[in-house]
Amino acid sequence: MSRVFNFCAGPAALPTQVLAEAQEQLLDWNGRGLSVMEMSHRSPEFVSIAAEAEQDFRDLLDIGDEYAVLFVHGGASAQFASLPLNLSAMGERVDYVDTGLWSQKAIKEAARYADVNVVVTAEQNQFTEVPEQKIWRCSDKAAYLHYTPNETINGVAFEWVPESDVPLVADMSSVILSGPIDVTRFGVIYAGAQKNIGPAGLAIVIVKKELLGKARQDIPTCMSYKVVADNHSMYNTPPTLAWYLSGLVFKWVKAQGGVAAMELVNRRKAAKLYNAIDSSDFYSNTVAVNSRSLMNVPFTLSDDRLNSLFVSQAEESGLLNLAGHRTAGGMRASIYNAVPEAAVDALVEFMSVFERDNG
Ligand SMILES: *Cc1c(COP(=O)(O)O)cnc(C)c1O
């Protein structure tokens, strides 16, 4: 079967070139006669793979020495617990912004360990717009301020970085590497790998070194940022295959011209899709224009009863995984770095034909 276009929100499309390279090396990495999966994480071979991946990631986001980069287990959801356990004392105040479902999951988990203050919620506009910062009610003294720059499900994104007197923490799972960021504005950035980095099961944490060592005594050892940092993410066995594949993705992003070049393509892809939606009466997206995600584009059809027909005909045309999140309904096209512009062109064309036949 020929390759199709995959609009899955996660685990998401990987660059075809990366998969081909991984396939070529699957049985025999660099002439060593072994697969990466079978190597000791402490072998010189894997240590070099790991170090190179970290360096490429640092280069891509221009991450300075004052930050540690951790490769950890448990996806982004484990970080929802890891954050309060690493950065706040028991029952200490922590501030959270609520812009959608992923914010709420982070809030719910943090509330098990810390005193969560929700500084603002986008609920009053049905989570279709990022609330401007002047109405946020931040605490006098919080251990950190957490927000979700890109809400993967409702397609709501920040196009600005909040100001904060306390360490700023961002869940960048669905937006990391889609464009440049000023890492120095953040205390912690974390991301599950399966959207824009690599395979599921890995998360990457960028943490300012001055924040290491604030963890509670009772934190699970393998979750302690300091322990993980001191051991170069090898306190216990890391997800080696995911780490290696992520490294291949970093090299691919570099070869595309880095994150600034990715952003240009991502903006073009998103503009094409939003234009198609906005210029039709058949499709709609209710997110405020200044809060629209470049990565996840939810949209509805004028008649919900056409949803399953849309999804099945799209599949027949090789356009996969367009059904919206189970809590949101409608459609959603996730157009991460590895989804080529040709995929968006094909989708826009399909949407136009579907509207003509059913509108
Ligand atoms: C997918 C996602 C998560 C959850 O990631 P897991 O690896 O499944 O834990 C958290 N936050 C955001 C913004 C996401 O898109």
Side-chain angles (χ1 to χ4, degrees):
M1 183 172 173
S2 64
R3 294 273 297 163
V4 293
F5 291 129
N6 180 12
F7 297 92
C8 192
L14 287 163
T16 308
Q17 260 172 278
V18 165
L19 294 173
E21 196 179 339
Q23 181 183 40
E24 197 185 305
Q25 302 191 341
L26 187 70
L27 298 186
D28 181 6
W29 182 82
N30 262 15
R32 297 300 200 281
L34 291 181
S35 172
V36 170
M37 276 182 277
E38 310 170 286
M39 288 177 185
S40 165
H41 55 300
R42 312 210 184 270
S43 65
E45 288 86 356
F46 188 78
V47 168
S48 78
I49 289 170
E52 205 168 312
E54 178 179 334
Q55 189 57 51
D56 285 335
F57 183 71
R58 283 180 176 274
D59 294 346
L60 284 169
L61 291 178
D62 197 14
I63 302 170
D65 278 345
E66 69 277 26
Y67 288 85
V69 174
L70 315 178
F71 291 76
V72 299
H73 296 270
S77 299
Q79 293 307 309
F80 294 164
S82 232
L83 281 166
L85 290 169
N86 273 288
L87 300 185
S88 68
M90 197 180 299
E92 193 180 353
R93 182 53 78 92
V94 293
D95 281 354
Y96 277 71
V97 178
D98 173 15
T99 47
L101 202 99
W102 287 115
S103 298
Q104 288 153 24
K105 290 200 176 195
I107 288 166
K108 199 167 165 216
E109 188 70 0
R112 304 179 65 209
Y113 305 104
D115 175 20
V116 174
N117 169 41
V118 177
V119 303
V120 74
T121 168
E123 196 173 1
Q124 68 272 13
N125 59 41
Q126 284 80 51
F127 301 100
T128 57
E129 189 167 9
V130 169
E132 53 184 344
Q133 196 169 0
K134 66 174 189 236
I135 64 164
W136 298 10
R137 295 178 168 276
C138 290
S139 307
D140 289 340
K141 208 168 173 296
Y144 59 86
L145 169 64
H146 178 283
Y147 81 116
T148 310
N150 185 73
E151 287 280 2
T152 319
I153 294 169
N154 46 328
V156 166
F158 283 73
E159 56 176 24
W160 43 279
V161 175
E163 300 291 335
S164 181
D165 296 333
V166 298
L168 184 62
V169 176
D171 174 1
M172 293 205 186
S173 295
S174 50
V175 72
I176 196 151
L177 298 180
S178 66
I181 43 175
D182 180 359
V183 171
T184 64
R185 302 278 300 273
F186 296 87
V188 177
I189 293 169
Y190 66 97
Q194 72 274 29
K195 279 63 184 256
N196 229 355
I197 293 178
L202 169 75
I204 299 185
V205 181
I206 306 167
V207 52
K208 205 167 198 174
K209 286 178 182 165
E210 68 187 33
L211 296 173
L212 297 174
K214 287 176 177 281
R216 317 177 179 188
Q217 289 303 314
D218 60 354
I219 189 171
T221 310
C222 61
M223 280 181 130
S224 157
Y225 291 161
K226 178 154 177 27
V227 170
V228 176
D230 287 348
N231 290 279
H232 305 288
S233 303
M234 297 198 192
Y235 168 75
N236 67 328
T237 318
T240 51
L241 184 72
W243 193 335
Y244 156 73
L245 286 162
S246 301
L248 297 184
V249 172
F250 302 151
K251 293 223 182 289
W252 177 83
V253 175
K254 278 187 158 179
Q256 308 305 301
V259 290
M262 292 296 356
E263 182 174 87
L264 286 179
V265 181
N266 287 329
R267 286 196 181 280
R268 220 165 46 223
K269 280 153 52 185
K272 281 182 174 176
L273 191 45
Y274 285 115
N275 281 340
I277 293 166
D278 291 345
S279 61
S280 122
D281 296 326
F282 185 74
Y283 301 106
S284 67
N285 168 293
T286 55
V287 177
V289 170
N290 70 0
S291 302
R292 281 178 165 181
S293 169
L294 298 184
M295 296 285 102
N296 311 97
V297 182
F299 59 94
T300 52
L301 314 188
S302 63
D303 182 349
D304 267 351
R305 287 170 302 184
L306 290 169
N307 284 354
S308 56
L309 186 67
F310 183 95
V311 170
S312 65
Q313 290 191 352
E315 266 176 32
E316 284 164 24
S317 308
L319 308 173
L320 304 192
N321 294 311
L322 285 163
H325 189 266
R326 59 188 193 282
T327 61
M331 302 298 144
R332 172 177 52 171
S334 294
I335 49 175
Y336 303 117
N337 285 352
V339 176
E341 194 164 351
V344 174
D345 292 338
L347 174 58
V348 166
E349 171 64 22
F350 170 80
M351 287 167 70
S352 142
V353 171
F354 188 86
E355 176 176 359
R356 193 194 60 210
D357 293 347
N358 299 281

